[in-house]
Amino acid sequence: MVKLSVIVPFYNVQQYAPDTLRSLRANARDDFEFILVDDCSRDETPDILERAARELPGAVHLRHEKNGGLATARNTGLDAARGEYLTFLDGDDWLAPGYYEQLLSHIEELGCDFVRTDHVQCTARARTVHRVPHGRRGVVMSPREVILPADRSTSVDYAYAWAGMYHRRLADAGLLHFTDGLRTAEDRPWIWRLHREAESFASVGLLGVFYRRGVASSLTQIGDVRQLDFINAFDQVIRETAADRDAAELLPKAVRTYCAIISHHLGSIERFEPSVARKLKSMSAAALKRMPQGVLDEALDSMDIQRATRLRRLRRRPVSAEVAA
């Protein structure tokens, strides 16, 4: 019986993959498996993973013939996973020795559907601790009950799939798969669905996953059209939340978060290629028009003047029928 499946997508991370794999070795156990998914890398990553498949205990090496993006690579790993529990790691991040055994002990003791945990963000030599925005630690609760309030950061805003561990019953219920093809913000519809539909969760104060920021190949550093997938991701959040039994209570949170993300991208629009910047404006204007307008009015009224003004100006922008669709 496999106790834990760790799903690790890799794409063109030859510089960082050795550190990731060394940290997995320091977390290996006879009943752990590490599913290494090469998303059609074009550098030396495939060779590194082939060696790992021979040398890393519990390694399972899978390779895409075509690059599909992080969401699709994670789904490939989920489909192959055999563990009673599942978790994720990105191919350029790393772990403290023995971290997974500690996290597994927490979720087994708590007996909940999933746990969320803190992490360390690493930018060059700087290290910053980021906490789950949920103060009650080690207490099993309903995930639905911690989505709100709308005007504060909550657990659905802490969308990192690798900052937690998940019981197999969530995968069997269809709650752990990602939307195929999303190139960015793939964690957003995922975390919202998890909090709406899972029955129990807890947050734990455990540090052991190290999230590497500023990687040149990361989409957060690249201002190309793939970044605009955040619009598809949040459209999905709005659509699915609008169909929820508690839509009236939850939609203000979803709409306000969507608006904040749009404003964030507009505020750093200079990093996008000119054609992508124009597309960002037109697609964001269309997104604002698709939102429930009464809820949007309330969201804009609750935001600071700079963001609200930026979004109201964008809301008045004409949108072609093609973009609006």
Side-chain angles (χ1 to χ4, degrees):
M1 177 70 180
V2 176
K3 177 61 73 170
L4 175 66
S5 297
V6 183
I7 296 154
V8 196
F10 294 82
Y11 179 64
N12 289 352
V13 287
Q14 63 180 19
Q15 181 179 353
Y16 308 110
D19 289 340
T20 304
L21 294 164
R22 275 192 292 270
S23 76
L24 291 175
R25 178 180 287 278
N27 277 267
R29 213 171 79 172
D30 288 345
D31 54 353
F32 288 3
E33 67 176 3
F34 303 112
I35 303 176
L36 315 177
V37 183
D38 176 19
D39 194 22
C40 197
S41 297
R42 300 186 183 280
D43 61 359
E44 298 302 314
T45 300
D47 295 334
I48 294 169
L49 295 182
E50 284 180 13
R51 288 196 299 272
R54 298 190 298 269
E55 300 170 2
L56 174 64
V60 178
H61 183 203
L62 305 175
R63 176 169 170 78
H64 284 171
E65 294 303 318
K66 179 181 178 183
N67 178 260
L70 182 58
T72 301
R74 284 176 175 168
N75 288 343
T76 295
L78 282 167
D79 290 341
R82 300 174 295 154
E84 181 182 356
Y85 293 92
L86 304 100
T87 191
F88 304 92
L89 184 68
D90 286 352
D92 50 10
D93 299 335
W94 76 97
L95 309 161
Y99 168 71
Y100 281 146
E101 191 159 27
Q102 295 178 63
L103 191 54
L104 178 63
S105 177
H106 279 292
I107 192 171
E108 288 190 310
E109 180 179 338
L110 291 164
C112 52
D113 285 340
F114 67 100
V115 294
R116 304 289 284 152
T117 190
D118 307 331
H119 73 275
V120 181
Q121 180 175 298
C122 307
T123 306
R125 294 183 178 274
R127 301 289 186 268
T128 311
V129 173
H130 287 251
R131 305 286 186 188
V132 183
H134 176 68
R136 301 183 66 182
R137 300 304 174 98
V139 178
V140 177
M141 297 184 65
S142 163
R144 175 179 288 266
E145 292 178 3
V146 303
I147 294 174
L148 300 176
D151 61 350
R152 283 216 323 259
S153 181
T154 70
S155 191
V156 290
D157 301 307
Y158 188 80
Y160 312 106
W162 36 256
M165 191 169 283
Y166 314 91
H167 195 281
R168 167 159 290 281
R169 58 181 168 262
L170 296 176
D172 294 341
L175 299 184
L176 287 188
H177 279 71
F178 296 80
T179 302
D180 259 327
L182 278 182
R183 297 284 179 161
T184 192
E186 70 289 326
D187 292 342
R188 296 294 188 147
W190 178 87
I191 195 71
W192 270 85
R193 185 175 65 245
L194 205 55
H195 275 270
R196 287 193 313 264
E197 300 188 28
E199 294 182 2
S200 60
F201 98 113
S203 64
V204 296
L206 179 64
L207 288 174
V209 59
F210 294 83
Y211 168 43
R212 197 189 301 270
R213 292 275 299 193
V215 176
S217 61
S218 170
L219 278 185
T220 60
Q221 304 297 309
I222 300 172
D224 72 12
V225 72
R226 293 173 293 177
Q227 275 279 10
L228 303 188
D229 266 9
F230 84 89
I231 291 174
N232 294 327
F234 274 97
D235 277 354
Q236 183 180 344
V237 171
I238 298 295
R239 186 170 61 251
E240 292 177 351
T241 303
D244 187 87
R245 66 179 185 270
D246 295 322
E249 289 76 28
L250 299 181
L251 269 174
K253 170 70 172 176
V255 168
R256 197 177 194 280
T257 304
Y258 197 174
C259 287
I261 298 297
I262 290 173
S263 180
H264 167 75
H265 284 295
L266 292 172
S268 57
I269 199 166
E270 67 281 351
R271 70 191 178 90
F272 290 95
E273 300 163 4
S275 62
V276 179
R278 291 191 295 272
K279 193 169 185 178
L280 169 64
K281 288 182 179 179
S282 60
M283 290 181 68
S284 296
L288 291 171
K289 290 176 170 57
R290 287 194 298 271
M291 294 179 198
Q293 295 301 293
V295 178
L296 176 58
D297 288 336
E298 293 177 4
L300 295 177
D301 288 344
S302 73
M303 298 178 83
D304 63 85
I305 188 68
Q306 182 180 19
R307 289 192 297 175
T309 299
R310 178 185 290 152
L311 292 167
R312 287 192 175 105
R313 186 182 302 120
L314 186 67
R315 190 183 187 185
R316 294 192 294 269
R317 181 188 177 105
V319 176
S320 68
E322 181 182 359
V323 173

Short mmCIF file of all heavy atoms in Angstrom, two decimals, residues 134-181:
data_model
loop_
_atom_site.label_atom_id
_atom_site.label_comp_id
_atom_site.label_asym_id
_atom_site.label_seq_id
_atom_site.Cartn_x
_atom_site.Cartn_y
_atom_site.Cartn_z
N HIS A 134 -5.33 31.77 8.17
CA HIS A 134 -6.39 31.17 8.99
C HIS A 134 -5.77 30.90 10.34
O HIS A 134 -4.87 30.06 10.48
CB HIS A 134 -6.89 29.86 8.35
CG HIS A 134 -7.91 29.15 9.18
ND1 HIS A 134 -9.17 29.65 9.39
CD2 HIS A 134 -7.83 27.98 9.87
CE1 HIS A 134 -9.85 28.80 10.16
NE2 HIS A 134 -9.06 27.78 10.47
N GLY A 135 -6.20 31.64 11.35
CA GLY A 135 -5.49 31.67 12.61
C GLY A 135 -5.61 30.44 13.48
O GLY A 135 -4.74 30.17 14.30
N ARG A 136 -6.66 29.66 13.33
CA ARG A 136 -6.87 28.53 14.22
C ARG A 136 -6.09 27.32 13.71
O ARG A 136 -6.41 26.75 12.68
CB ARG A 136 -8.36 28.21 14.33
CG ARG A 136 -9.19 29.37 14.86
CD ARG A 136 -10.65 28.98 15.02
NE ARG A 136 -10.84 27.97 16.06
CZ ARG A 136 -12.02 27.43 16.36
NH1 ARG A 136 -13.10 27.78 15.68
NH2 ARG A 136 -12.12 26.52 17.31
N ARG A 137 -5.05 26.94 14.43
CA ARG A 137 -4.17 25.87 13.99
C ARG A 137 -4.54 24.56 14.68
O ARG A 137 -4.83 24.53 15.88
CB ARG A 137 -2.71 26.21 14.29
CG ARG A 137 -2.23 27.50 13.59
CD ARG A 137 -2.45 27.40 12.09
NE ARG A 137 -2.16 28.61 11.38
CZ ARG A 137 -1.02 28.84 10.74
NH1 ARG A 137 -0.06 27.95 10.75
NH2 ARG A 137 -0.85 29.96 10.08
N GLY A 138 -4.52 23.48 13.89
CA GLY A 138 -4.78 22.17 14.44
C GLY A 138 -6.21 21.92 14.84
O GLY A 138 -6.49 21.00 15.62
N VAL A 139 -7.13 22.72 14.31
CA VAL A 139 -8.55 22.59 14.62
C VAL A 139 -9.30 22.23 13.34
O VAL A 139 -9.23 22.95 12.35
CB VAL A 139 -9.13 23.90 15.21
CG1 VAL A 139 -10.63 23.75 15.49
CG2 VAL A 139 -8.37 24.29 16.47
N VAL A 140 -10.01 21.11 13.35
CA VAL A 140 -10.74 20.67 12.16
C VAL A 140 -11.99 21.52 12.01
O VAL A 140 -12.77 21.69 12.95
CB VAL A 140 -11.11 19.18 12.26
CG1 VAL A 140 -11.93 18.75 11.05
CG2 VAL A 140 -9.85 18.32 12.36
N MET A 141 -12.18 22.06 10.80
CA MET A 141 -13.31 22.95 10.52
C MET A 141 -13.89 22.63 9.15
O MET A 141 -13.31 21.88 8.36
CB MET A 141 -12.85 24.41 10.55
CG MET A 141 -12.32 24.88 11.89
SD MET A 141 -11.91 26.65 11.87
CE MET A 141 -13.56 27.37 11.63
N SER A 142 -15.03 23.26 8.85
CA SER A 142 -15.61 23.18 7.52
C SER A 142 -14.88 24.16 6.60
O SER A 142 -14.80 25.35 6.92
CB SER A 142 -17.09 23.54 7.56
OG SER A 142 -17.58 23.86 6.26
N PRO A 143 -14.35 23.70 5.47
CA PRO A 143 -13.65 24.63 4.56
C PRO A 143 -14.56 25.74 4.04
O PRO A 143 -14.10 26.86 3.81
CB PRO A 143 -13.18 23.73 3.41
CG PRO A 143 -13.29 22.34 3.90
CD PRO A 143 -14.34 22.32 4.97
N ARG A 144 -15.82 25.44 3.84
CA ARG A 144 -16.78 26.44 3.35
C ARG A 144 -16.89 27.62 4.31
O ARG A 144 -17.06 28.77 3.90
CB ARG A 144 -18.14 25.76 3.16
CG ARG A 144 -19.28 26.69 2.77
CD ARG A 144 -20.56 25.89 2.58
NE ARG A 144 -20.50 25.11 1.36
CZ ARG A 144 -20.97 25.52 0.19
NH1 ARG A 144 -21.53 26.71 0.08
NH2 ARG A 144 -20.89 24.75 -0.87
N GLU A 145 -16.78 27.33 5.60
CA GLU A 145 -17.00 28.37 6.60
C GLU A 145 -15.86 29.37 6.71
O GLU A 145 -16.00 30.39 7.39
CB GLU A 145 -17.26 27.72 7.96
CG GLU A 145 -18.58 26.98 8.02
CD GLU A 145 -18.81 26.28 9.36
OE1 GLU A 145 -17.95 26.43 10.26
OE2 GLU A 145 -19.85 25.60 9.50
N VAL A 146 -14.72 29.09 6.05
CA VAL A 146 -13.58 30.02 6.16
C VAL A 146 -13.29 30.74 4.85
O VAL A 146 -12.25 31.38 4.71
CB VAL A 146 -12.32 29.29 6.68
CG1 VAL A 146 -12.60 28.61 8.01
CG2 VAL A 146 -11.81 28.27 5.67
N ILE A 147 -14.21 30.65 3.88
CA ILE A 147 -14.04 31.40 2.62
C ILE A 147 -14.15 32.90 2.88
O ILE A 147 -13.41 33.71 2.31
CB ILE A 147 -15.07 30.94 1.57
CG1 ILE A 147 -14.82 29.49 1.17
CG2 ILE A 147 -15.05 31.86 0.35
CD1 ILE A 147 -15.87 28.90 0.25
N LEU A 148 -15.07 33.30 3.72
CA LEU A 148 -15.31 34.71 4.03
C LEU A 148 -14.50 35.12 5.25
O LEU A 148 -14.00 34.26 5.98
CB LEU A 148 -16.81 34.91 4.26
CG LEU A 148 -17.72 34.56 3.08
CD1 LEU A 148 -19.19 34.71 3.46
CD2 LEU A 148 -17.38 35.39 1.86
N PRO A 149 -14.35 36.45 5.49
CA PRO A 149 -15.05 37.58 4.90
C PRO A 149 -14.48 38.02 3.55
O PRO A 149 -13.33 37.69 3.22
CB PRO A 149 -14.88 38.68 5.94
CG PRO A 149 -13.58 38.36 6.61
CD PRO A 149 -13.51 36.86 6.64
N ALA A 150 -15.28 38.79 2.83
CA ALA A 150 -14.90 39.19 1.47
C ALA A 150 -13.76 40.18 1.46
O ALA A 150 -12.97 40.22 0.50
CB ALA A 150 -16.12 39.79 0.76
N ASP A 151 -13.62 40.99 2.50
CA ASP A 151 -12.64 42.08 2.48
C ASP A 151 -11.35 41.76 3.20
O ASP A 151 -10.55 42.64 3.46
CB ASP A 151 -13.26 43.36 3.06
CG ASP A 151 -13.71 43.18 4.51
OD1 ASP A 151 -13.71 42.02 4.99
OD2 ASP A 151 -14.05 44.19 5.15
N ARG A 152 -11.15 40.48 3.53
CA ARG A 152 -9.91 40.07 4.18
C ARG A 152 -9.32 38.86 3.46
O ARG A 152 -10.04 38.09 2.85
CB ARG A 152 -10.15 39.70 5.65
CG ARG A 152 -10.32 40.86 6.58
CD ARG A 152 -9.71 40.60 7.96
NE ARG A 152 -9.86 39.23 8.42
CZ ARG A 152 -10.78 38.84 9.30
NH1 ARG A 152 -11.67 39.70 9.77
NH2 ARG A 152 -10.83 37.58 9.69
N SER A 153 -8.01 38.70 3.56
CA SER A 153 -7.37 37.52 2.99
C SER A 153 -7.78 36.29 3.79
O SER A 153 -7.71 36.29 5.02
CB SER A 153 -5.85 37.69 3.04
OG SER A 153 -5.20 36.58 2.46
N THR A 154 -8.25 35.26 3.09
CA THR A 154 -8.69 34.04 3.74
C THR A 154 -8.01 32.84 3.07
O THR A 154 -7.19 33.00 2.16
CB THR A 154 -10.22 33.88 3.67
OG1 THR A 154 -10.59 33.60 2.30
CG2 THR A 154 -10.94 35.11 4.16
N SER A 155 -8.40 31.65 3.48
CA SER A 155 -7.73 30.45 3.01
C SER A 155 -7.84 30.26 1.49
O SER A 155 -6.95 29.67 0.88
CB SER A 155 -8.27 29.22 3.74
OG SER A 155 -7.49 28.09 3.50
N VAL A 156 -8.91 30.75 0.84
CA VAL A 156 -9.01 30.60 -0.61
C VAL A 156 -8.06 31.53 -1.35
O VAL A 156 -7.83 31.35 -2.55
CB VAL A 156 -10.46 30.84 -1.13
CG1 VAL A 156 -11.39 29.73 -0.72
CG2 VAL A 156 -10.98 32.20 -0.72
N ASP A 157 -7.50 32.51 -0.66
CA ASP A 157 -6.50 33.39 -1.28
C ASP A 157 -5.10 32.81 -1.18
O ASP A 157 -4.17 33.30 -1.82
CB ASP A 157 -6.54 34.77 -0.63
CG ASP A 157 -7.90 35.42 -0.75
OD1 ASP A 157 -8.41 35.51 -1.88
OD2 ASP A 157 -8.47 35.80 0.29
N TYR A 158 -4.95 31.77 -0.39
CA TYR A 158 -3.67 31.08 -0.20
C TYR A 158 -3.75 29.81 -1.05
O TYR A 158 -3.99 28.73 -0.57
CB TYR A 158 -3.51 30.77 1.29
CG TYR A 158 -2.16 30.22 1.70
CD1 TYR A 158 -1.07 31.07 1.90
CD2 TYR A 158 -2.00 28.87 1.95
CE1 TYR A 158 0.15 30.57 2.32
CE2 TYR A 158 -0.77 28.36 2.38
CZ TYR A 158 0.30 29.22 2.56
OH TYR A 158 1.51 28.72 2.99
N ALA A 159 -3.56 30.00 -2.37
CA ALA A 159 -3.98 28.98 -3.33
C ALA A 159 -2.92 27.94 -3.67
O ALA A 159 -3.15 27.10 -4.53
CB ALA A 159 -4.44 29.67 -4.62
N TYR A 160 -1.78 27.95 -3.02
CA TYR A 160 -0.67 27.08 -3.38
C TYR A 160 -1.02 25.61 -3.13
O TYR A 160 -1.18 25.17 -1.99
CB TYR A 160 0.57 27.43 -2.57
CG TYR A 160 0.88 28.91 -2.55
CD1 TYR A 160 0.65 29.67 -1.41
CD2 TYR A 160 1.41 29.54 -3.68
CE1 TYR A 160 0.94 31.03 -1.39
CE2 TYR A 160 1.69 30.89 -3.66
CZ TYR A 160 1.45 31.64 -2.51
OH TYR A 160 1.74 32.98 -2.50
N ALA A 161 -1.08 24.83 -4.20
CA ALA A 161 -1.46 23.42 -4.06
C ALA A 161 -0.43 22.64 -3.26
O ALA A 161 -0.77 21.66 -2.58
CB ALA A 161 -1.63 22.78 -5.44
N TRP A 162 0.84 23.05 -3.32
CA TRP A 162 1.91 22.32 -2.64
C TRP A 162 1.97 22.63 -1.14
O TRP A 162 2.73 22.00 -0.41
CB TRP A 162 3.27 22.60 -3.28
CG TRP A 162 3.47 23.99 -3.79
CD1 TRP A 162 3.43 24.41 -5.09
CD2 TRP A 162 3.75 25.16 -3.01
NE1 TRP A 162 3.66 25.76 -5.17
CE2 TRP A 162 3.86 26.24 -3.91
CE3 TRP A 162 3.92 25.40 -1.64
CZ2 TRP A 162 4.12 27.55 -3.48
CZ3 TRP A 162 4.17 26.70 -1.21
CH2 TRP A 162 4.27 27.75 -2.13
N ALA A 163 1.19 23.59 -0.68
CA ALA A 163 1.19 23.96 0.74
C ALA A 163 0.11 23.19 1.48
O ALA A 163 -0.79 23.76 2.11
CB ALA A 163 0.99 25.46 0.91
N GLY A 164 0.17 21.86 1.39
CA GLY A 164 -0.83 21.06 2.07
C GLY A 164 -0.73 19.59 1.69
O GLY A 164 0.16 19.17 0.94
N MET A 165 -1.66 18.81 2.22
CA MET A 165 -1.75 17.38 1.93
C MET A 165 -3.22 17.01 1.89
O MET A 165 -4.05 17.60 2.60
CB MET A 165 -1.01 16.57 2.98
CG MET A 165 -0.80 15.11 2.64
SD MET A 165 0.37 14.28 3.80
CE MET A 165 1.95 14.90 3.19
N TYR A 166 -3.57 16.01 1.05
CA TYR A 166 -4.96 15.75 0.69
C TYR A 166 -5.25 14.25 0.75
O TYR A 166 -4.46 13.44 0.27
CB TYR A 166 -5.23 16.30 -0.72
CG TYR A 166 -4.65 17.69 -0.88
CD1 TYR A 166 -3.34 17.87 -1.35
CD2 TYR A 166 -5.36 18.80 -0.47
CE1 TYR A 166 -2.77 19.13 -1.43
CE2 TYR A 166 -4.81 20.08 -0.56
CZ TYR A 166 -3.52 20.23 -1.03
OH TYR A 166 -2.95 21.49 -1.10
N HIS A 167 -6.41 13.90 1.31
CA HIS A 167 -6.79 12.49 1.37
C HIS A 167 -7.29 12.03 0.01
O HIS A 167 -7.90 12.80 -0.75
CB HIS A 167 -7.89 12.28 2.42
CG HIS A 167 -8.08 10.85 2.80
ND1 HIS A 167 -8.79 9.96 2.02
CD2 HIS A 167 -7.66 10.14 3.88
CE1 HIS A 167 -8.79 8.77 2.60
NE2 HIS A 167 -8.11 8.85 3.73
N ARG A 168 -7.05 10.77 -0.30
CA ARG A 168 -7.45 10.22 -1.60
C ARG A 168 -8.94 10.37 -1.87
O ARG A 168 -9.35 10.47 -3.03
CB ARG A 168 -7.05 8.74 -1.69
CG ARG A 168 -7.71 8.00 -2.87
CD ARG A 168 -6.97 6.78 -3.27
NE ARG A 168 -5.69 7.10 -3.89
CZ ARG A 168 -5.57 7.50 -5.16
NH1 ARG A 168 -6.63 7.66 -5.92
NH2 ARG A 168 -4.38 7.74 -5.66
N ARG A 169 -9.77 10.39 -0.84
CA ARG A 169 -11.22 10.50 -1.09
C ARG A 169 -11.56 11.78 -1.85
O ARG A 169 -12.56 11.83 -2.56
CB ARG A 169 -12.01 10.42 0.22
CG ARG A 169 -11.68 11.46 1.28
CD ARG A 169 -12.54 11.25 2.53
NE ARG A 169 -12.05 12.03 3.66
CZ ARG A 169 -11.27 11.56 4.63
NH1 ARG A 169 -10.89 10.29 4.60
NH2 ARG A 169 -10.87 12.33 5.62
N LEU A 170 -10.72 12.82 -1.74
CA LEU A 170 -10.95 14.04 -2.52
C LEU A 170 -10.70 13.79 -4.00
O LEU A 170 -11.44 14.28 -4.86
CB LEU A 170 -10.05 15.16 -2.02
CG LEU A 170 -10.30 15.65 -0.59
CD1 LEU A 170 -9.27 16.69 -0.20
CD2 LEU A 170 -11.71 16.20 -0.43
N ALA A 171 -9.65 13.04 -4.32
CA ALA A 171 -9.38 12.69 -5.72
C ALA A 171 -10.50 11.82 -6.27
O ALA A 171 -10.95 12.01 -7.41
CB ALA A 171 -8.04 11.98 -5.84
N ASP A 172 -10.96 10.86 -5.47
CA ASP A 172 -12.04 9.97 -5.91
C ASP A 172 -13.33 10.75 -6.16
O ASP A 172 -14.14 10.36 -7.01
CB ASP A 172 -12.28 8.88 -4.87
CG ASP A 172 -11.10 7.92 -4.76
OD1 ASP A 172 -10.26 7.88 -5.70
OD2 ASP A 172 -10.99 7.22 -3.72
N ALA A 173 -13.50 11.86 -5.43
CA ALA A 173 -14.70 12.70 -5.61
C ALA A 173 -14.53 13.73 -6.72
O ALA A 173 -15.44 14.52 -6.99
CB ALA A 173 -15.04 13.41 -4.30
N GLY A 174 -13.36 13.74 -7.39
CA GLY A 174 -13.12 14.67 -8.49
C GLY A 174 -12.73 16.06 -8.06
O GLY A 174 -12.83 17.01 -8.86
N LEU A 175 -12.24 16.22 -6.83
CA LEU A 175 -11.96 17.56 -6.32
C LEU A 175 -10.50 17.98 -6.43
O LEU A 175 -10.17 19.13 -6.17
CB LEU A 175 -12.39 17.67 -4.85
CG LEU A 175 -13.88 17.45 -4.57
CD1 LEU A 175 -14.17 17.68 -3.09
CD2 LEU A 175 -14.73 18.39 -5.42
N LEU A 176 -9.61 17.07 -6.81
CA LEU A 176 -8.19 17.41 -6.83
C LEU A 176 -7.65 17.72 -8.21
O LEU A 176 -6.55 18.26 -8.34
CB LEU A 176 -7.36 16.29 -6.19
CG LEU A 176 -7.44 16.15 -4.68
CD1 LEU A 176 -6.41 15.15 -4.17
CD2 LEU A 176 -7.24 17.50 -3.98
N HIS A 177 -8.37 17.38 -9.26
CA HIS A 177 -7.87 17.66 -10.60
C HIS A 177 -8.00 19.15 -10.93
O HIS A 177 -8.89 19.85 -10.42
CB HIS A 177 -8.62 16.83 -11.64
CG HIS A 177 -8.11 15.43 -11.75
ND1 HIS A 177 -8.31 14.48 -10.77
CD2 HIS A 177 -7.37 14.81 -12.72
CE1 HIS A 177 -7.74 13.34 -11.13
NE2 HIS A 177 -7.15 13.51 -12.30
N PHE A 178 -7.11 19.60 -11.79
CA PHE A 178 -7.06 21.00 -12.21
C PHE A 178 -7.72 21.15 -13.59
O PHE A 178 -7.90 20.16 -14.30
CB PHE A 178 -5.60 21.47 -12.26
CG PHE A 178 -4.93 21.46 -10.92
CD1 PHE A 178 -4.44 20.27 -10.38
CD2 PHE A 178 -4.81 22.62 -10.17
CE1 PHE A 178 -3.83 20.24 -9.14
CE2 PHE A 178 -4.20 22.60 -8.92
CZ PHE A 178 -3.71 21.41 -8.41
N THR A 179 -8.03 22.37 -13.95
CA THR A 179 -8.61 22.63 -15.26
C THR A 179 -7.52 22.49 -16.31
O THR A 179 -6.57 23.28 -16.35
CB THR A 179 -9.23 24.03 -15.32
OG1 THR A 179 -10.22 24.14 -14.30
CG2 THR A 179 -9.87 24.28 -16.68
N ASP A 180 -7.65 21.48 -17.16
CA ASP A 180 -6.63 21.20 -18.17
C ASP A 180 -6.35 22.43 -19.04
O ASP A 180 -7.28 23.12 -19.48
CB ASP A 180 -7.09 20.06 -19.09
CG ASP A 180 -6.43 18.74 -18.73
OD1 ASP A 180 -5.27 18.75 -18.27
OD2 ASP A 180 -7.08 17.69 -18.89
N GLY A 181 -5.07 22.68 -19.27
CA GLY A 181 -4.68 23.73 -20.20
C GLY A 181 -4.49 25.09 -19.59
O GLY A 181 -3.93 25.98 -20.25
#
